[in-house]
Amino acid sequence: MDQIRIRGGNPLRGTIQISGAKNAALPLMAACLLSEEPLVLSNLPHLADIATMSNLLSELGVNVSMNGAAPGGHGGRVFKLDAAETSDTIAPYDLVRKMRASVLVLGPLLARQGRARVSLPGGCAIGTRPVDLHLKALEQLGATIELSEGYIDARAESGLRGGHVVFPMVTVGGTENILMAATLARGETVIGNAAREPEITDLANCLTAMGADIRGIGTDTLKIHGVDRLHGASHTVLPDRIETGTYAVAAAITGGDILLKDTRADLIEAVIDVLGRVGVAFDETPAGLRVSRINGGLHGVDLMTEPYPGFPTDMQAQFMALMTVASGASMITETIFENRFMHVPELRRMGADINVQGRSAIVRGNQKLSGAQVMATDLRASVSMVLAGLAARGETLVSRVYHLDRGYERLEEKLSACGADIERVRDAG
Ligand code: UD1
């Protein structure tokens, strides 16, 4: 398996192009199943998870064609997704186990085809992550759901009907699944305690362009008036706020100065706020978002992960790497996932001083990190080790690079263009 080798210590300076958001692209791709007319999506990132979703859609009979990339070389890709003749309603275990977001085909399949058989995703490295809330909500829209042989068997032969769904906890994927299903349900659906992540707003805007009637976009109450059919549309995927935040941390941890292009500060206000308290300056310029460390170093601060607009759980591991080299102590509390401190033992092997107490981690800063061989269990944990490696003395070797390839497009290329000493070591086997 490939590894990433980093020799730390170089302050990063230069420009990084931010890609389209993976977590927006995946539900947007699933939305093509709602219409018999094609959906054209641009600014799609070139990532393993996007390929997995393409494979799943192809398996369901969707004609997926790549209409090239946007001009300028590294711009996002353009996909045409044509679900005129869907042939299957089964999402098999082999694809769903690779990527939990595969479950996002459930709502659209059920709404348009009246049935769906989708493998249960099972556990993952950061917790049990059930889909019970998706299923309960679909039942409230009139679906009959049975679990058998590891699959979700969902039926709504005479169509879904509108209903009132209040999620007992904020769920991003649950909100997306029900929002898509409700666009074709008879009558009105109200989703209370809906997730408000920008990726949901992006999905709702695309569905609106396809002819859906959605009110309350961007709020925690979505009102959807079902329509008979949706039509084709073209939509541009919004910038990846987690990639933006990750490279902002790269600038901070190396004492560098990076211009992040084609992104939006308003997507990461909570991250900007916290990093500002740490000692990182953000400057919105016509050329992009400039991130640099303010003279005087980094200061430890406390934070808690929360649903949007709070501090995102997907930035927690990266922020922890940063706190290991800041002055003073910081407390990082994870409230979204039950087991999202898997990066702690690996960061400790690089010299970090971190103690976990239940759902909080106490990080004692001022540590001189040193390179080590490390491996990660998930995407954001992996990238936290890359960030620590950029600041560490000596050589860091990160294995299980496939995690990084799921969510970071051309990571080593983007970082080395800013002066990082980083390369992919190909497995000879
Ligand atoms: C999405 C993101 C992921 C991010 C997460 C939280 C995608 C593809 N992934 O994941 O990167 O970390 O939001 O911002 O967009 N839960 C239940 N039952 C359910 C559904 C969720 O108990 O039916 C729990 C989960 O276990 C978790 C919490 O709710 O503890 C939040 O999960 P959710 O918001 O649904 O995350 P995902 O949509 O899976």
Side-chain angles (χ1 to χ4, degrees):
M1 269 187 278
D2 291 357
Q3 296 180 313
I4 296 273
R5 181 193 288 142
I6 305 148
R7 294 183 190 90
N10 296 356
L12 301 190
R13 292 186 200 288
T15 301
I16 294 182
Q17 166 91 37
I18 298 302
S19 301
K22 167 179 87 76
N23 286 353
L26 295 171
L28 285 165
M29 290 172 76
C32 80
L33 293 165
L34 290 164
S35 172
E36 61 220 11
E37 293 179 22
L39 177 63
V40 177
L41 296 175
S42 43
N43 200 30
L44 283 170
H46 185 192
L47 296 171
D49 274 9
I50 301 298
T52 304
M53 184 56 96
S54 283
N55 292 342
L56 173 56
L57 293 173
S58 302
E59 190 113 340
L60 297 170
V62 175
N63 191 340
V64 182
S65 55
M66 201 163 84
N67 283 13
H74 280 317
R77 298 179 154 194
V78 183
F79 274 22
K80 182 174 171 193
L81 304 161
D82 186 344
E85 288 168 34
T86 42
S87 50
D88 210 333
T89 51
I90 302 177
Y93 175 66
D94 266 358
L95 287 170
V96 180
R97 85 183 154 82
K98 272 197 196 163
M99 185 182 71
R100 282 180 48 82
S102 307
V103 82
L104 293 171
V105 300
L106 178 62
L109 280 177
L110 194 57
R112 178 157 153 236
Q113 314 285 337
R115 56 181 304 172
R117 184 170 156 82
V118 176
S119 172
L120 277 164
C124 74
I126 59 175
T128 50
R129 290 180 88 176
V131 288
D132 56 321
L133 302 177
H134 302 226
L135 304 186
K136 258 185 224 140
L138 286 171
E139 281 176 338
Q140 282 172 282
L141 301 194
T144 311
I145 295 189
E146 278 175 36
L147 301 182
S148 70
E149 299 156 352
Y151 276 78
I152 303 159
D153 262 313
R155 279 163 193 278
E157 255 114 38
S158 46
L160 292 170
R161 54 174 155 69
H164 199 140
V165 173
V166 180
F167 283 115
M169 64 198 283
V170 176
T171 159
V172 174
T175 303
E176 290 164 346
N177 239 335
I178 306 317
L179 171 62
M180 289 189 279
T183 59
L184 291 181
R186 277 192 314 280
E188 187 177 76
T189 299
V190 179
I191 308 178
N193 199 23
R196 288 185 283 161
E197 269 63 5
E199 293 74 24
I200 290 175
T201 299
D202 207 34
L203 173 65
N205 288 339
C206 176
L207 293 169
T208 305
M210 293 169 77
D213 180 353
I214 306 170
R215 309 277 155 88
I217 296 174
T219 75
D220 66 358
T221 306
L222 294 169
K223 287 195 179 132
I224 306 110
H225 197 87
V227 294
D228 289 340
R229 57 183 293 278
L230 294 182
H231 51 74
S234 292
H235 182 82
T236 302
V237 179
L238 91 172
D240 195 315
R241 64 194 165 100
I242 306 300
E243 192 193 25
T244 306
T246 301
Y247 289 127
V249 172
I253 205 167
T254 63
D257 186 341
I258 302 184
L259 186 72
L260 301 170
K261 273 187 70 177
D262 293 327
T263 190
R264 283 171 31 202
D266 65 295
L267 299 174
I268 54 159
E269 274 174 3
V271 172
I272 290 179
D273 177 58
V274 170
L275 285 177
R277 287 190 275 135
V278 170
V280 180
F282 285 83
D283 191 11
E284 262 192 293
T285 74
L289 185 61
R290 191 170 160 204
V291 190
S292 55
R293 194 199 279 184
I294 300 168
N295 290 342
L298 304 167
H299 316 286
V301 300
D302 296 345
L303 76 82
M304 188 186 271
T305 63
E306 282 170 313
Y308 192 84
F311 190 93
T313 173
D314 286 350
M315 279 299 302
Q316 183 254 105
Q318 301 89 313
F319 189 81
M320 193 180 293
L322 182 64
M323 288 297 91
T324 64
V325 299
S327 64
S330 53
M331 184 162 81
I332 299 177
T333 304
E334 171 61 52
T335 72
I336 309 292
F337 292 109
E338 76 229 31
N339 189 22
R340 207 171 195 181
F341 286 137
M342 306 294 273
H343 40 284
V344 169
E346 300 297 300
L347 289 174
R348 272 202 205 122
R349 297 184 60 245
M350 298 179 72
D353 181 350
I354 308 170
N355 266 305
V356 175
Q357 310 269 349
R359 53 183 206 153
S360 294
I362 316 290
V363 187
R364 291 190 180 79
N366 276 329
Q367 302 305 316
K368 299 266 177 283
L369 299 179
S370 55
Q373 270 187 282
V374 288
M375 66 158 100
T377 43
D378 76 74
L379 169 57
R380 309 302 170 185
S382 299
V383 89
S384 76
M385 280 154 219
V386 172
L387 293 170
L390 290 172
R393 268 173 315 186
E395 185 174 291
T396 298
L397 212 49
V398 184
S399 49
R400 299 196 179 167
V401 171
Y402 55 86
H403 287 303
L404 290 169
D405 292 336
R406 291 189 52 193
Y408 289 93
E409 181 176 334
R410 300 180 293 108
L411 173 88
E412 63 277 19
E413 221 181 283
K414 290 188 184 187
L415 287 171
S416 60
C418 291
D421 187 347
I422 179 169
E423 63 184 336
R424 182 177 292 243
V425 187
R426 302 263 172 209
D427 182 15

